[in-house]
Amino acid sequence: MSRVEERPRHHLDVLTVAEARSVIDSAVEGRAEDVRVVVDFDETLWLRNTTEEYLASLRPRLLAHAILLMVDLVRPWALLRATEARRLYRDWIRILVCTMLMPWSLAAWRRGAAARAERWKNRTLLDWLTKDHRLPLHVATLGLGVLVEPILRHIDPGATLVAAGSFWSGYRIRSRGKQASIDERHAGMVENAIVITDSEHDADLLAAAHTPVLVKWPAAEYRPAFSKSYLPFLYTQKAKRPGENYMLYGFLLEDVVHLWLAFAWIMAAPLVGALALLLLHLSFWAVYELGYVENDVLAVKHEAKPKTFAETAPYAARMKPVQAWAWALVLAIPALALLLAYEPQSLLLPGATASWQSFLLLYAVWIAYLAAQRVSFWIYNRLDTGSRGLFYVVLQIVRLSGYAVLLRINIVGAVLLLSLVVARWVKYIAYRDTGRTLAESQRLLSLAFFLVMAGGILATDPAAFISLQDVAALAWLAIYSHRRLRELGRSARLHLA
């Protein structure tokens, strides 16, 4: 009978460390001369996760934060439409993008490999395998080889990396599995091997192994990169409106697109203006987000039924007001510089030119605007809930229409921004009065208010409103509310009798 046929029944329950030791000792006894060991790397041979530790090691941290935030906001893996696309592609894409944009990072990782190996190597497992039984190690990982190899060399110079992801196609090993990747170059290895891993995702490897060992190590820890650090816009995305991808739909596709259509459209250099407005609104949001955190923290303290989520407290603890203001001030610099260089005629600042004096004056105006919005949110958060309905419109005007204190706007742009302000205000008043969210779509309400206000202006001064900008604004509002419009088209009935 062959060795494969003699394999014991697979035990895929999670073992304790003591149970794992007993299983390994029994498997080695009597066959130490030809036994192979295949060991998982992350959180098994090394007690941390190479992907997250690499991302956490990136410097400068501010740039790394910004890149990782944009990757998670855009979520490019969602476009691939693969089953479990996030698990297959996210880690690889994050590493690839960060390394391409910060090419010095791999060299820095290699320089720190010896210290990382010494600090987090699994001494207990190494003693069992290399000292007690003198077994050569074969390592298989879903991580990238360029990250694992430098550390593995310092953990055990004699170890062999038999399966790992490649830098340019790191997703492949996750879709194929470790077993298929090992068999490609080392056919028959796993069937005769002790496989030691902490991950249920290695089910293919455990199922093929002579002796599968699934064990969780008490000292192992998965620590997401920057998990305790402040990251701008994270609270909005993960805690204030979890699961809604609000930074895409609320921030970009509502706020920013409306600002583009209202202000950038009428600029001489609209693309430059669009970039400047995006940066300005990011600057604005870094401070605006402080109001969100304050709102939730105070709600937990003072409201009987606060509308908060499980994510609120941990993400609120990461908020750093000083860093939020720093982000806001830094993001505003290139935005205002672009406006001064390419669009001075669009600014309300008298005699604005591309000079440092004009920049400092414009910068002071922007800081005052940020301070005003912070004060307005501070007041709102301390009002009794019954009075907030009326004051909410102030927050929305500052959030959108308030840009008119800085930039020139025409009647079409003003109506477009006010339509969104009023739509949000109506939804909020209904919530405050009834305790329930208004069923009607905010997107459709915005379209309806735009049409109502546009109709009033057309009745008095058609020439001031009819333009290509008006058509573009109406088209965008219709496109953005297309689902609700289709629903109305299917469900609306006309009773003539």
Side-chain angles (χ1 to χ4, degrees):
M1 188 177 286
S2 70
R3 189 178 300 280
V4 172
E5 294 172 326
E6 293 171 353
R7 283 184 298 171
R9 183 167 175 255
H10 298 304
H11 192 300
L12 297 183
D13 292 336
V14 178
L15 305 178
T16 66
V17 172
E19 290 169 340
R21 173 65 187 267
S22 177
V23 170
I24 293 169
D25 287 346
S26 298
V28 173
E29 187 177 356
R31 54 187 289 261
E33 71 286 348
D34 66 344
V35 70
R36 289 191 177 94
V37 178
V38 177
V39 185
D40 177 41
F41 190 77
D42 287 348
E43 298 154 74
T44 299
L45 188 62
W46 196 58
L47 298 172
R48 292 294 183 269
N49 180 277
T50 47
T51 295
E52 299 302 329
E53 294 301 323
Y54 172 70
L55 295 175
S57 75
L58 299 176
R59 298 295 183 273
R61 295 171 69 92
L62 193 66
L63 177 58
H65 276 195
I67 295 170
L68 289 173
L69 176 66
M70 291 307 299
V71 170
D72 274 339
L73 287 178
V74 175
R75 297 193 295 180
W77 50 85
L79 302 174
L80 300 171
R81 303 202 179 276
T83 304
E84 294 189 285
R86 188 179 191 275
R87 183 183 71 83
L88 294 177
Y89 294 97
R90 180 175 180 260
D91 282 355
W92 169 64
I93 289 174
R94 291 159 77 213
I95 292 171
L96 183 66
V97 172
C98 286
T99 306
M100 294 292 287
L101 296 177
M102 305 171 71
W104 56 88
S105 301
L106 280 178
W109 175 257
R110 287 191 289 268
R111 286 195 299 271
R116 292 187 182 93
E118 182 62 25
R119 185 176 181 184
W120 289 317
K121 65 184 179 182
N122 190 338
R123 290 175 173 79
T124 300
L125 181 58
L126 285 165
D127 287 346
W128 295 353
L129 300 177
T130 61
K131 291 184 180 179
D132 295 355
H133 296 300
R134 301 182 183 279
L135 298 173
L137 295 183
H138 301 83
V139 176
T141 179
L142 296 179
L144 300 192
V146 292
L147 304 183
V148 172
E149 283 178 322
I151 297 175
L152 183 59
R153 281 201 305 270
H154 292 285
I155 292 177
D156 182 354
T160 304
L161 188 61
V162 294
S166 71
F167 181 75
W168 295 109
S169 56
Y171 61 90
R172 287 183 180 171
I173 190 169
R174 289 176 180 261
S175 73
R176 297 178 62 199
K178 291 180 183 176
Q179 162 65 8
S181 298
I182 293 174
D183 270 353
E184 186 177 2
R185 295 185 179 182
H186 307 278
M189 173 183 284
V190 178
E191 287 82 350
N192 295 316
I194 302 169
V195 169
I196 305 169
T197 180
D198 75 307
S199 176
E200 288 83 355
H201 288 303
D202 290 337
D204 60 326
L205 198 58
L206 292 166
H210 182 281
T211 306
V213 180
L214 180 61
V215 54
K216 303 288 185 179
W217 301 90
E221 186 179 355
Y222 176 85
R223 302 188 306 183
F226 308 121
S227 59
K228 295 182 180 179
S229 302
Y230 165 74
L231 193 61
F233 325 123
L234 187 66
Y235 190 86
T236 301
Q237 184 77 355
K238 299 291 188 179
K240 188 63 178 178
R241 301 173 185 270
E244 294 184 22
N245 199 6
Y246 192 75
M247 287 302 294
L248 174 61
Y249 293 105
F251 173 88
L252 182 60
L253 296 183
E254 284 188 4
D255 284 12
V256 175
V257 171
H258 278 68
L259 291 172
W260 285 345
L261 290 169
F263 293 103
W265 187 280
I266 60 175
M267 291 181 180
L271 294 180
V272 173
L275 176 57
L277 282 164
L278 173 60
L279 292 171
L280 277 181
H281 206 54
L282 287 169
S283 169
F284 176 92
W285 204 267
V287 176
Y288 192 80
E289 194 173 45
L290 293 174
Y292 275 166
V293 178
E294 185 180 61
N295 180 267
D296 288 340
V297 170
L298 290 176
V300 170
K301 289 182 179 179
H302 303 300
E303 294 183 23
K305 295 182 178 179
K307 189 179 179 181
T308 57
F309 302 92
E311 297 87 347
T312 297
Y315 283 106
R318 295 173 58 175
M319 182 59 67
K320 304 291 190 297
V322 172
Q323 292 186 39
W325 274 96
W327 271 85
L329 297 177
V330 168
L331 286 166
I333 292 172
L336 298 176
L338 285 171
L339 290 174
L340 277 172
Y342 294 95
E343 287 294 332
Q345 70 279 4
S346 298
L347 295 166
L348 294 181
L349 185 65
T353 60
S355 64
W356 66 267
Q357 294 95 333
S358 290
F359 177 83
L360 290 178
L361 185 55
L362 191 62
Y363 201 40
V365 171
W366 180 251
I367 293 171
Y369 180 59
L370 293 180
Q373 67 103 328
R374 184 70 193 94
V375 169
S376 65
F377 220 143
W378 187 93
I379 294 171
Y380 168 84
N381 286 333
R382 285 157 180 80
L383 282 173
D384 62 280
T385 54
S387 303
R388 286 182 179 178
L390 290 176
F391 194 81
Y392 186 76
V393 71
V394 175
L395 291 184
Q396 295 305 314
I397 288 173
V398 172
R399 177 171 164 177
L400 291 168
S401 303
Y403 280 78
V405 304
L406 188 72
L407 294 164
R408 299 186 187 281
I409 192 170
N410 61 11
I411 189 66
V412 176
V415 168
L416 177 64
L417 295 179
L418 286 173
S419 68
L420 182 55
V421 166
V422 176
R424 287 173 173 169
W425 190 25
V426 167
K427 292 273 288 187
Y428 185 78
I429 287 177
Y431 165 72
R432 278 299 171 198
D433 283 351
T434 67
R436 299 191 304 270
T437 302
L438 187 66
E440 188 53 77
S441 163
Q442 178 181 288
R443 299 177 184 182
L444 186 62
L445 287 175
S446 184
L447 173 61
F449 288 130
F450 181 82
L451 291 171
V452 169
M453 287 186 275
I457 295 170
L458 286 170
T460 57
D461 189 4
F465 203 83
I466 297 175
S467 65
L468 189 57
Q469 181 189 15
D470 176 35
V471 173
L474 187 60
W476 171 249
L477 291 173
I479 291 169
Y480 201 51
S481 57
H482 71 96
R483 290 181 182 174
R484 181 61 181 134
L485 287 172
R486 290 206 308 270
E487 287 176 3
L488 283 175
R490 289 194 296 266
S491 63
R493 297 290 183 271
L494 186 64
H495 299 285
L496 300 176

